[in-house]
């Protein structure tokens, strides 16, 4: 198993180095700083590449023009900033909070446009990102015995909180280093690895498995899959288990819709379901109830947060939201109103306009990738990334986690550019033929 770096040009070396140093960055509480800095650095390099073009050396030249869907992401995140300002103005939140929230936008929502832009313009091969994720997996497996043993040998939950928290962020957990955490509902240990909390670690594990499935070296692939699976299982997240199945199998099954035998099997399955449907639906209903009951307190808090956010959005701030999250009461265990759900959070904080600013480019990108995934294996990983993001959005606030989702965002940009260049080449071929 070769340990040599697969990175070649400057953009690849920067991204690969940032990936393989994920655990060391975590050990010093620097991940929340590294993500935004990397995003703005790569986006700046992409802008320089587009501006200077042929004057640069080969590895810094742009792959091609910016795909339309990337412009859609840039426009959507720009609208998000304008809506943020409007919400702060409507609620007279003051200059200080407006500046703080704008900085938060630069470290969160902006990354959803900056990394796809960098992936679309800069020469960063998918294989480099895939190998980097597998190297993270090697770190994870090496540290796993100590982490698993920690709660049983008397080691503390939290090791320390980095002084880097002075730069500001959503909370101290983003700058803290943990062995594990105790689940307050069952008082059993859960592991969060290099994420700020366990459910997010599970979805990062899903992404790691999806990336590892693209690795050609069987030993690196095995390491990546094993590490990602361990993150999902030890985080004890229901959402992670759903993602492990859906986000790995879904993109690979989609191509079957174009095959005639798949339609025949589907017809036979539909006929069988017509006869066994009530029993199947009853079983599914029981399974969903069991799934929710596995962490009933968590489900109750999330549902209450969503209901309060929805009611206050409709009654108080329909178009541009409340500008910021609001403190929650005891009924939601003091969780902020507008948290734990991207879509309800957007409605509460940024209103309908904010929700559309994310929904439009996201749906646009999903449609493009779905169309490509039905015909081309190159779209499997981008589709898995989008599925994971959508799944994540129903249990987390995706913007404050973008600093860890950047490998997937780079893949989305790179794949969009690949599709755009293929479409341009096809149009050129047709034009020449006529």
């Amino acid at each position: 198993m070769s340990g040599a770096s697969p990175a070649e040009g400057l953009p690849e070396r920067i991204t690969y180095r940032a990936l393989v140093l994920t655990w060391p960055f975590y050990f010093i509480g620097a991940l929340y700083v590294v993500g935004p800095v990397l995003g703005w650095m790569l986006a700046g390099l992409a802008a320089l590449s587009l501006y200077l073009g042929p004057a640069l050396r080969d590895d810094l030249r742009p792959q091609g023009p910016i795909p339309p869907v990337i412009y859609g992401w840039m426009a959507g995140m720009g609208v998000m900033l304008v809506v943020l300002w409007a919400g702060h103005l409507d609620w007279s939140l003051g200059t200080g909070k407006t500046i703080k929230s704008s900085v938060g936008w630069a470290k969160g929502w902006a990354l959803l446009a900056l990394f796809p832009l960098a992936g679309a313009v800069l020469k960063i091969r998918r294989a480099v990102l895939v190998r980097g994720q597998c190297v993270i997996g090697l770190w994870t497996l090496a540290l796993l015995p100590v982490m698993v043993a920690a709660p049983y040998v008397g080691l503390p939950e939290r090791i320390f909180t980095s002084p880097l928290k002075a730069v500001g962020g959503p909370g101290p957990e983003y700058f803290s280093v943990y062995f594990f955490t105790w689940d307050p509902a069952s008082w059993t240990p859960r592991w969060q690895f290099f994420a700020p909390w366990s459910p997010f670690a599970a979805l990062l594990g899903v992404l790691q498995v999806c990336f590892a499935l693209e690795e050609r070296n069987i030993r690196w692939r095995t390491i990546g899959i094993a590490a990602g699976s361990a993150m999902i299982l030890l985080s004890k997240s229901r959402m992670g288990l759903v993602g492990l199945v859906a986000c790995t199998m879904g993109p690979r099954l989609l191509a079957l819709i174009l095959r005639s035998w798949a339609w025949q099997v589907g017809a036979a399955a539909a006929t069988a379901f017509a006869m066994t449907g009530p029993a199947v639906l009853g079983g599914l209903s029981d399974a969903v109830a069991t799934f929710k009951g596995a962490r009933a307190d968590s489900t109750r808090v999330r549902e209450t947060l969503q209901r309060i956010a929805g009611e206050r959005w409709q009654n108080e701030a329909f178009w541009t939201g409340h500008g910021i999250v609001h403190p929650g009461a005891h009924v939601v265990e003091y969780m902020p109103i507008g948290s734990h759900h991207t879509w309800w959070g957007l409605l509460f904080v940024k209103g309908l306009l904010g929700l559309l600013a994310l929904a439009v480019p996201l749906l646009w990108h999903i449609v493009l990738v779905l169309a490509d995934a039905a015909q081309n294996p190159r779209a499997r990983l981008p589709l898995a990334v989008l599925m994971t993001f959508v799944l994540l959005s129903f249990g987390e606030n995706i913007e404050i986690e973008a600093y860890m989702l950047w490998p997937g965002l780079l893949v989305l940009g790179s794949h969009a550019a690949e599709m755009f260049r293929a479409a341009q080449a096809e149009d050129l071929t047709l034009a020449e033929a006529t």
Side-chain angles (χ1 to χ4, degrees):
M1 181 167 57
S2 174
S5 170
E8 294 178 355
L10 179 62
E12 286 190 354
R13 289 198 297 271
I14 292 173
T15 53
Y16 183 76
R17 184 65 61 180
L19 265 178
V20 301
L21 291 178
T22 292
W23 273 105
F25 284 139
Y26 174 68
F27 292 149
I28 61 173
L31 282 177
Y32 187 73
V33 177
V34 170
V37 169
L38 181 66
W40 285 96
M41 180 190 300
L42 290 178
L45 197 57
L48 184 66
S49 175
L50 290 168
Y51 181 70
L52 295 179
L56 298 171
R57 68 191 194 208
D58 184 64
D59 64 306
L60 293 176
R61 292 174 186 169
Q63 297 187 86
I66 301 174
V69 71
I70 303 302
Y71 280 118
W73 278 108
M74 295 166 65
M77 297 309 103
V79 169
M80 199 75 75
L81 180 60
V82 174
V83 171
L84 181 152
W85 291 336
H88 279 64
L89 186 62
D90 286 346
W91 291 91
S92 303
L93 296 179
T95 303
K97 285 189 176 180
T98 302
I99 293 174
K100 182 179 179 181
S101 295
S102 299
V103 172
W105 169 89
K107 295 187 292 185
W109 290 116
L111 302 185
L112 299 184
L114 296 178
F115 279 116
L117 171 65
V121 173
L122 300 176
K123 294 178 180 177
I124 303 173
R125 290 168 298 150
R126 183 183 300 185
V128 173
L129 299 172
V130 168
R131 177 60 59 84
Q133 288 279 20
C134 292
V135 174
I136 296 175
L138 183 59
W139 276 90
T140 302
L141 293 180
L143 294 166
L144 200 56
V146 176
M147 297 173 66
V148 171
Y152 304 105
V153 298
L155 293 177
E157 293 180 65
R158 185 173 61 187
I159 303 173
F160 78 102
T161 298
S162 171
L164 288 172
K165 69 177 183 179
V167 303
E173 62 271 21
Y174 285 79
F175 303 95
S176 297
V177 182
Y178 293 85
F179 278 125
F180 67 98
T181 56
W182 291 108
D183 185 346
S186 60
W187 206 244
T188 57
R190 301 177 76 184
W191 287 264
Q192 57 199 68
F193 299 88
F194 45 83
W197 48 74
S198 297
F200 184 26
L203 272 297
L204 291 176
V206 171
L207 281 178
Q208 184 156 62
V209 172
C210 294
F211 271 86
L213 289 171
E214 300 278 316
E215 173 60 60
R216 295 184 179 181
N217 184 297
I218 188 169
R219 284 179 288 185
W220 279 117
R221 182 165 67 246
T222 302
I223 288 171
I225 292 174
S229 300
M231 291 177 68
I232 295 166
L233 294 174
L234 291 175
S235 68
K236 301 181 181 179
S237 168
R238 299 165 297 168
M239 191 180 298
L241 293 173
V242 171
L244 179 61
V245 176
C247 300
T248 55
M249 294 180 61
R252 284 159 176 78
L253 294 175
L254 186 61
L256 298 180
I257 65 174
L258 294 182
R259 300 180 185 176
S260 58
W261 67 266
W263 288 104
Q264 296 169 4
V265 171
T271 303
F273 185 77
M275 295 181 289
T276 62
V280 172
L281 290 175
L284 287 174
S285 178
D286 292 341
V288 170
T290 302
F291 183 76
K292 289 185 174 181
R295 291 182 56 80
D297 289 341
S298 175
T299 300
R300 176 189 58 78
V301 169
R302 289 177 183 274
E303 290 177 348
T304 305
L305 280 171
Q306 293 164 24
R307 186 181 70 253
I308 294 172
E311 291 173 354
R312 292 190 58 185
W313 158 65
Q314 287 183 303
N315 297 327
E316 300 171 5
F318 188 82
W319 291 107
T320 58
H322 293 81
I324 56 174
V325 297
H326 286 186
H330 175 69
V331 69
V332 290
E333 298 181 6
Y334 304 105
M335 296 293 181
I337 307 302
S339 66
H340 289 73
H341 198 290
T342 295
W343 305 105
W344 286 114
L346 271 173
L347 286 173
F348 183 81
V349 177
K350 294 184 173 63
L352 181 62
L353 293 178
L355 183 139
L356 292 175
L358 174 62
V360 171
L362 179 61
L363 288 174
W364 183 1
H365 211 136
I366 288 173
V367 169
L368 290 177
V369 174
L370 280 172
D372 195 42
Q375 308 174 58
N376 202 316
R378 71 186 177 192
R380 288 175 180 170
L381 180 56
L383 180 56
V385 169
L386 285 169
M387 290 176 67
T388 306
F389 284 8
V390 170
L391 188 62
L392 186 65
S393 73
F394 288 104
E396 306 280 350
N397 293 79
I398 199 168
E399 76 279 7
I400 60 175
E401 297 170 344
Y403 76 101
M404 288 298 298
L405 301 175
W406 62 265
L409 293 170
L410 283 175
V411 166
L412 293 181
S414 177
H415 177 249
E418 191 175 356
M419 285 192 299
F420 188 53
R421 291 195 301 271
Q424 285 185 317
E426 185 177 346
D427 291 342
L428 181 60
T429 301
L430 291 173
E432 290 175 349
T434 56

